[in-house]
Amino acid sequence: MDQVTGILIGAGLRGRKAYAVYASAYPAAFQIKAVAEPDPVRRKAFAEEYGISEEFCFEDYKEVLGRERFADCVLVCTPDHQHFGPVMMALRQGYHVLCEKPMSPDRKEMLLMEREALERHRILSVCHVLRYSPFFRKIKSLLEEEKIGKLINIRHTEHVGFWHFAHSFVRGNWRNDEEACPVIMAKCCHDMDILLWLAGSPCRRIQSFGALSFFREENMPEGAPEYCMENCRHADSCPYYAPRFYLEHPKAEEDNLVYAVSEEFNAKKVLKRLSTGPYGRCVFRCDNNVCDNQTVNIEFENGVRADFMMSAFSTECFREILLMGTKGQIRGNMEKAEIVVDDFVTGDSEYIKVHTPRGGHCGSDMEIMREFIGLVAKDGNGVSMTDVSVSVDSHLMALAAEESRLKSEVIDFREFRGRKEWN
């Protein structure tokens, strides 16, 4: 396979730590030739890491995509509401595109991106990486083998983790739906996509309930300052005390969260940034407005019914699932990579330990890159498992769930999907 060349738009945590690393792991297969990143520190650090000359370092995506095409593909890893512009420009320039999820918080933009990719015969893969995980692939194969007979119900839960939620959805980039998008889209379009894939059928109806229940100013401990480091007297009793989390919690470095605070894991630099930066704010005094808990009920066209729950209030980050069929059930925990198949006829239980590679989303980040680079090498001959044509529906399911939550209505998804004002 000839080496594929690419351009990275957005050298933040996902762009730099999740997808670009494929070029480091498999340099013969993939090379990054240019980067566009508005933050000069990140831009310089990325360029040094990947050997990119100053000539191919850009502040704005329009500068690099405005040039005559000089690479095979573009990775769009900008903030949620900044995907549409670079994706559309890259497709029009003839590039294949990998777009971080969600595609866009705007339903019309999603449909325009889908149309552009189809009309230009370009790959537009959306990073619904969970489809690439060995865990969910195994569950899908068990369903296809009819190990539990006909699938009737799915119960799926995403435990976000109190620390992860506070980092990303209270203090971080996804805290406010006016700047990003609702949490059901930003965090859980992964889960909508997995439910759609496992059900094996389009959505028919959807209903949702949820609220911002806890991370509100009225729940703030008495006398809490704006920033944790301003001698907060609740430091020892507050689970969200920023300095302790970013310097002591194992997930802070393991999941790269500390690098949102500082470019390097240096205690003095981290504390300095926390003293005035967004990640050092009291969680009860932020400008967050997204739900910290939400449930979604879904009915699919084939009669399968699913319920999904997202909650910020768990110790660990993990997904667990229960699939109920006419001849048995499947229970699974993604992070433990454990699946149990219970047979109603024999009473037997089969325990399956799924081999899970190291890396983001249980190895899924590398697997989506492997597929994408392989398709680009064939100049788009083939179909991505998360092609835009299948990803749009899971995004729209998330938007329909949010409309249901806000309006207290059951949403007819077929009507929602086909509304004329979208076209």
Side-chain angles (χ1 to χ4, degrees):
M1 183 176 78
D2 294 335
Q3 185 188 56
V4 170
T5 56
I7 299 166
L8 178 67
I9 309 295
L13 291 182
R14 294 298 293 164
R16 181 178 178 184
K17 301 289 186 180
Y19 307 122
V21 292
Y22 193 84
S24 296
Y26 302 99
F30 184 47
Q31 177 195 7
I32 297 177
K33 297 186 69 173
V35 59
E37 165 57 52
D39 187 311
V41 175
R42 286 181 174 177
R43 187 170 63 247
K44 182 180 178 181
F46 186 86
E48 290 176 352
E49 185 175 357
Y50 287 89
I52 300 171
S53 65
E54 188 174 346
E55 177 188 0
F56 290 96
C57 294
F58 303 87
E59 182 177 350
D60 192 293
Y61 75 86
K62 294 177 183 177
E63 299 176 75
V64 61
L65 296 182
R67 291 192 173 192
E68 185 176 344
R69 180 184 163 192
F70 62 88
D72 301 308
C73 65
V74 173
L75 312 182
V76 176
C77 303
T78 51
D80 300 346
H81 62 289
Q82 296 175 17
H83 291 167
F84 181 72
V87 166
M88 294 293 279
M89 192 170 182
L91 290 171
R92 288 166 180 165
Q93 289 288 74
Y95 290 104
H96 297 293
V97 179
L98 180 82
C99 180
E100 176 62 312
K101 64 83 191 167
M103 297 166 58
S104 168
D106 182 86
R107 57 196 183 189
K108 187 173 182 179
E109 288 184 354
M110 295 176 201
L111 296 174
L112 288 172
M113 291 156 77
E114 177 187 29
R115 182 186 302 170
E116 196 72 29
L118 293 174
E119 289 180 352
R120 295 183 181 274
H121 305 288
R122 297 289 85 185
I123 300 166
L124 175 51
S125 291
V126 180
C127 294
H128 282 308
V129 295
L130 296 191
R131 288 196 185 203
Y132 297 84
S133 70
F135 175 80
F136 280 115
R137 280 184 166 182
K138 182 62 178 178
I139 288 177
K140 182 68 171 176
S141 71
L142 291 169
L143 291 175
E144 290 173 344
E145 294 167 20
E146 298 185 348
K147 286 286 189 179
I148 60 170
K150 181 183 177 182
L151 179 64
I152 303 296
N153 296 109
I154 307 174
R155 171 158 286 179
H156 181 49
T157 306
E158 180 172 10
H159 307 262
V160 180
F162 73 95
W163 46 273
H164 180 35
F165 195 91
H167 169 83
S168 296
F169 302 99
V170 179
R171 294 171 169 135
N173 294 337
W174 295 275
R175 68 192 181 276
N176 192 298
D177 59 19
E178 294 181 6
E179 296 182 13
C181 55
V183 69
I184 196 67
M185 173 70 84
K187 187 75 175 76
C188 307
C189 67
H190 273 320
D191 303 284
M192 297 298 102
D193 184 66
I194 281 295
L195 291 171
L196 182 69
W197 188 47
L198 295 179
S201 173
C203 176
R204 176 185 293 163
R205 296 189 298 172
I206 197 162
Q207 179 185 40
S208 182
F209 304 94
L212 174 58
S213 300
F214 181 64
F215 297 102
R216 306 164 64 94
E217 190 170 356
E218 56 261 38
N219 295 320
M220 180 180 69
E222 185 179 353
E226 183 176 356
Y227 286 86
C228 292
M229 291 187 65
E230 294 176 348
N231 296 317
C232 180
R233 66 187 187 187
H234 305 284
D236 292 338
S237 60
C238 180
Y240 306 100
Y241 182 62
R244 182 170 55 250
F245 167 63
Y246 288 105
L247 294 177
E248 297 178 21
H249 198 291
K251 289 291 186 179
E253 186 173 18
E254 183 182 323
D255 285 5
N256 298 315
L257 303 186
V258 71
Y259 298 110
V261 179
S262 172
E263 286 298 314
E264 57 181 294
F265 192 30
N266 175 289
K268 288 185 178 180
K269 290 185 177 181
V270 171
L271 290 173
K272 183 178 179 181
R273 293 288 182 88
L274 291 179
S275 64
T276 57
Y279 293 100
R281 291 179 294 178
C282 172
V283 292
F284 302 102
R285 302 188 66 173
C286 296
D287 59 337
N288 59 303
N289 68 356
V290 298
C291 294
D292 53 26
N293 66 102
Q294 190 163 355
T295 61
V296 183
N297 298 316
I298 307 165
E299 182 178 62
F300 294 94
E301 294 283 2
N302 63 359
V304 172
R305 293 179 177 85
D307 62 81
F308 167 72
M309 181 180 72
M310 177 282 298
S311 178
F313 308 104
S314 61
T315 302
E316 299 293 337
C317 271
F318 66 100
R319 287 178 168 92
E320 59 183 352
I321 192 165
L322 172 64
L323 302 103
M324 293 163 272
T326 56
K327 294 183 179 180
Q329 66 177 19
I330 299 170
R331 294 171 286 151
N333 182 303
M334 180 181 176
E335 277 59 39
K336 291 182 179 179
E338 295 176 344
I339 296 171
V340 177
V341 183
D342 298 313
D343 189 305
F344 293 165
V345 176
T346 65
D348 293 343
S349 294
E350 179 186 3
Y351 172 80
I352 302 169
K353 181 68 175 179
V354 182
H355 171 67
T356 301
R358 295 189 64 185
H361 292 100
C362 302
S364 303
D365 292 346
M366 291 293 275
E367 286 304 310
I368 192 173
M369 282 299 298
R370 191 187 312 280
E371 182 199 68
F372 177 70
I373 296 304
L375 289 171
V376 173
K378 299 175 184 176
D379 197 29
N381 291 320
V383 179
S384 166
M385 190 155 59
T386 55
D387 182 76
V388 62
S389 60
V390 299
S391 293
V392 165
D393 268 17
S394 53
H395 281 68
L396 292 178
M397 284 170 63
L399 286 184
E402 187 65 2
E403 181 169 309
S404 170
R405 184 185 74 85
L406 294 173
K407 293 184 176 180
S408 299
E409 295 178 356
V410 176
I411 302 298
D412 182 317
F413 188 76
R414 288 171 291 185
E415 183 274 332
F416 187 85
R417 178 74 159 89
R419 288 179 185 172
K420 291 181 180 180
E421 67 266 26
W422 298 12
N423 301 319

